[in-house]
Amino acid sequence: QVQLVESGGGLVQAGGSLRLSCAASESILSIIRMSWYRQAHGKSREFVASITTGGSTDYRSSVRGRFAISRDNAKNTVYLQMNSLKPEDTADYYCNASTYAMDYWGQGTQVTVSS
């Protein structure tokens, strides 16, 4: 069972940056895809970004060009660099690990962007 721990959230002004981290309890080389999702208050959880074992990335359109996902296989960690943050980026951000068997989720980290 893969355990995921997110960190790096916080309060930032619009236009600022944050870097989220997701540390996995085992090698992420065995995980097909690592992703970030977010859920704003009163809204459904939505996809933000993903990165595959091979390094292919994908982003939701509203964050493309502002956010960057990366992975450090040696540290079993995935990052989400968030730049030019907007108030609409305010949400709880969750890390997801997809294996052949099932998906795993972290507990989330809160990001608040003030205007």
Side-chain angles (χ1 to χ4, degrees):
Q1 181 153 347
V2 179
Q3 295 182 339
L4 304 171
V5 178
E6 302 99 331
S7 61
L11 173 64
V12 64
Q13 289 188 331
S17 299
L18 284 173
R19 189 177 80 156
L20 305 183
S21 299
C22 172
S25 59
E26 63 181 62
S27 173
I28 61 175
L29 290 173
S30 64
I31 299 172
I32 301 169
R33 177 182 290 106
M34 298 288 296
S35 305
W36 287 96
Y37 285 75
R38 68 186 182 188
Q39 186 168 16
H41 182 66
K43 296 187 176 182
S44 301
R45 191 170 295 188
E46 62 184 21
F47 168 80
V48 177
S50 67
I51 185 166
T52 67
T53 304
S56 297
T57 59
D58 190 21
Y59 299 91
R60 74 179 297 104
S61 58
S62 62
V63 308
R64 190 172 289 117
R66 299 189 297 122
F67 290 11
I69 188 170
S70 61
R71 59 195 293 162
D72 186 333
N73 293 331
K75 295 182 178 180
N76 297 331
T77 300
V78 173
Y79 304 97
L80 185 68
Q81 178 67 44
M82 305 186 296
N83 300 323
S84 302
L85 282 161
K86 304 176 181 180
E88 51 264 42
D89 295 318
T90 295
D92 292 325
Y93 283 70
Y94 297 88
C95 182
N96 170 272
S98 294
T99 69
Y100 287 108
M102 61 184 296
D103 280 6
Y104 299 92
W105 293 91
Q107 293 300 306
T109 185
Q110 188 175 57
V111 172
T112 303
V113 184
S114 63
S115 58

